Structures are given as C-alpha cells and as structure tokens.
Amino acid sequence: MTVKSSFLSGGSACRRVGASLITALFALSFCLVLLAPSVAPAAQAVTTLEKCEVAVSLDGTSTTMMSVAAGVPSSVALPCTVQVFIPMGYTIIHQVEFDSNPASPTATTKAVAGTITKEGTPFTFTLTKSHNFFFAATSPVNIYDSNAMGAGGALLAAFDVTAETDITSLVIGIKPPSAGMTGQGDSSLKTFDAGKDSAGNEVTLYGQEFKDVKKGEKKTVQVAFMQQAKAQQDATAQQKQNKAASQSQLNSFLSQPLVWLLGAFLIIVIIVLIFVIMRQRQNAGAVDEAEDDEDEPEEGDGVADDED
C-alpha cells in the first residue's frame, strides 16, 4: 500500500508539471505573436492626381518659394504613393498630409528622391492618413527677372510644372513680387484668390488652370508684373489706340472708290424699288375703281324696269 500511494503521488506530480509546462508554452507562444512585427499592407502607386495647386512667391529679396497642395482621388485606398517632380535647385523644407487644411496636418510625410536629372528630381510621397498632401520648397534663385524687362519696365516671371502622373486639374499661380503690383498676360491669364498673408492683406495669384494634364507634359506660366497705376495707364492708352485704329480702318474703307460705286448702286436700286411699288399701288387703285363702276346700276335701266 505504501508503494501504491507513492506511485499515485508521483503520477499526480507529473501531471501538475506537465500542465504547468503546457501553460507556459501557450503563454510564450501568445507573447511571441503579440511581439512579432505586423506586416504593413503594400502601398499602391497612384497614377492620377485629382488636383494640384502650385503657388510661387518671393520670400525675401532673393529666394523663391514654391508651395504645392495636391490630392489623390478619395477612392484610393491608403497607404498609397504619389510621385511629384520638383525643378532643379529647389529644396523641400516642409511636408505634411491633411484632410481639408494644410495648417491642420494629420501626419508628416517623408518624400524619397528619385533619379536626379538636369531639369529636376522626382520625389515619391507616401500617404498613410489622408488623401491630400502639402509641401513647400525654396530656391535661392529669384524668378522675378529684373533683366528680362517687358514693355514699360514690367518684371517677367515664368514657372514650369512637369507632370509625373496624370493630373485632372492643375493650377499654377504666381504672386506679385511686391504690394501694389498687378499681373499682365495673354487671354488665358487668370487670377486666383490665395487668402490673406501674415499681415492680413488679400493675396491674388496670376496664372493659368490646365485640365486633364497627361504624365510627362510640361506646362509653363509666364506673367509680367507692373505697378497698378502704370497698368491702368497702359490699359487706357491701349483702348484709345484701338479706338483710333478702328476709326482709321473705317475711314480707309469708306474712302475706297469701290465702296462709293456700291453705295451709288444701292441708292439706284432703292429708288427703282420705290418707283415700282408706287406704280403697283396706282395700278391696284385703278382696278378697284373700275370694279366699283361696274357694280353701280345705270339710271336708264332702272326707269325701264319701272315702266314694265
């Protein structure tokens, strides 16, 4: 009996040790699962930007600032990667993701540079929180070229954007280099409200809007900036010049012999038409009088009828 009792006690102890070992192994496995690094879903590459708004301004006296706000379609699953081309000489100084306002970012992005070319560098942005992103870049070159003076001493500014993806709506706007200046350009030039600056002044950008830009296309905006008063004077002078040119063309046209001959011919045709119309009316009146005379009974016929 003593042996049997010892055997039972030993078997119970073995079962307890085995259970403890199984529990420890299960706990260890559970911890390893929790501590193992999770595999992040692969970020898909975006081939189309829904919008891209580029604003160019002068920062100080010799630095050009480029600010870009872009967005991918809301149907794109996050995370995703987007490629953007940045011109040569520009350095990224700020980059964030946002939902509705770049001033309220949802995450900080980290652009990865691609192969550098003589025109610039493609950068890849990875979006994880939002479908919109913003970045700012600076260049030590002043694009407001005082050496390339236009008519009347206007400062000329030009900026290029090369599409790394298809872009549904691309806006490129350039801010005047100083207050009191306005932008001039061809008929495609538009103005864009950029809100207020740090001093509380309304900011207007001058540039163009492009639709359905394809990958690899380069779009260029060129604006001539001049003082507002000078621009108004030039506009008034141009209107007077156009009016004088129109009057001169009219006078030149009227002074040609062929015009006089055509005028005389038209006058003769009008006179003939008036004469024909009057004759037709006279003939119609004579016919009406004759018909009235035929309808009136003769006096002799009436007396004869009475006697009968």
Side-chain angles (χ1 to χ4, degrees):
M1 295 296 293
T2 302
V3 173
K4 186 176 180 180
S5 177
S6 299
F7 177 76
L8 292 175
S9 299
S12 178
C14 289
R15 286 194 297 270
R16 287 197 298 271
V17 171
S20 299
L21 182 61
I22 292 173
T23 302
L25 290 175
F26 178 78
L28 179 61
S29 301
F30 183 74
C31 291
L32 289 176
V33 170
L34 292 178
L35 294 176
S38 59
V39 179
Q44 62 172 317
V46 176
T47 58
T48 301
L49 281 178
E50 190 172 45
K51 60 181 179 180
C52 183
E53 300 174 351
V54 182
V56 184
S57 60
L58 187 63
D59 186 14
T61 58
S62 60
T63 301
T64 299
M65 171 77 74
M66 174 181 64
S67 301
V68 179
V72 302
S74 58
S75 58
V76 174
L78 300 178
C80 66
T81 60
V82 187
Q83 282 197 330
V84 175
F85 188 85
I86 298 180
M88 177 61 68
Y90 283 83
T91 302
I92 297 178
I93 60 173
H94 182 64
Q95 47 183 316
V96 296
E97 298 177 45
F98 67 95
D99 288 332
S100 58
N101 189 347
S104 301
T106 57
T108 300
T109 62
K110 181 62 177 179
V112 178
T115 303
I116 300 175
T117 67
K118 63 179 181 179
E119 294 184 349
T121 306
F123 280 84
T124 301
F125 290 81
T126 300
L127 308 183
T128 60
K129 298 293 185 181
S130 303
H131 288 81
N132 303 302
F133 65 100
F134 171 88
F135 69 91
T138 60
S139 172
V141 178
N142 184 350
I143 68 167
Y144 304 86
D145 193 353
S146 59
N147 294 323
M149 305 293 282
L155 289 172
L156 300 182
F159 193 80
D160 299 328
V161 171
T162 301
E164 278 294 296
T165 63
D166 293 346
I167 304 175
T168 303
S169 175
L170 170 62
V171 174
I172 305 175
I174 303 178
K175 180 183 175 182
S178 62
M181 299 193 77
T182 183
Q184 304 290 322
D186 57 21
S187 58
S188 62
L189 185 71
K190 295 183 178 180
T191 58
F192 305 98
D193 183 11
K196 295 183 179 181
D197 57 15
S198 57
N201 301 318
E202 295 290 341
V203 178
T204 300
L205 304 180
Y206 297 84
Q208 290 180 242
E209 181 177 9
F210 305 92
K211 296 292 187 180
D212 298 324
V213 181
K214 301 302 179 183
K215 178 181 179 180
E217 284 189 67
K218 179 188 287 186
K219 297 300 182 182
T220 302
V221 170
Q222 181 170 311
V223 184
F225 291 99
M226 62 178 61
Q227 293 297 330
Q228 183 71 38
K230 182 67 170 60
Q232 292 177 350
Q233 292 176 0
D234 291 347
T236 302
Q238 186 64 41
Q239 290 177 355
K240 292 181 179 179
Q241 184 178 352
N242 293 339
K243 184 177 180 180
S246 300
Q247 186 64 37
S248 176
Q249 292 176 357
L250 179 61
N251 295 337
S252 176
F253 175 76
L254 294 177
S255 63
Q256 296 180 10
L258 180 61
V259 175
W260 285 100
L261 291 176
L262 289 175
F265 176 75
L266 290 175
I267 292 174
I268 294 173
V269 169
I270 293 172
I271 293 174
V272 171
L273 288 175
I274 293 174
F275 177 76
V276 171
I277 293 172
M278 292 181 65
R279 292 286 296 178
Q280 289 178 348
R281 288 183 176 179
Q282 290 177 356
N283 293 334
V287 171
D288 292 339
E289 291 178 357
E291 290 178 353
D292 293 339
D293 292 342
E294 291 178 358
D295 293 339
E296 292 179 358
E298 295 182 359
E299 294 180 0
D301 294 341
V303 173
D305 291 341
D306 293 338
E307 292 178 353
D308 293 340

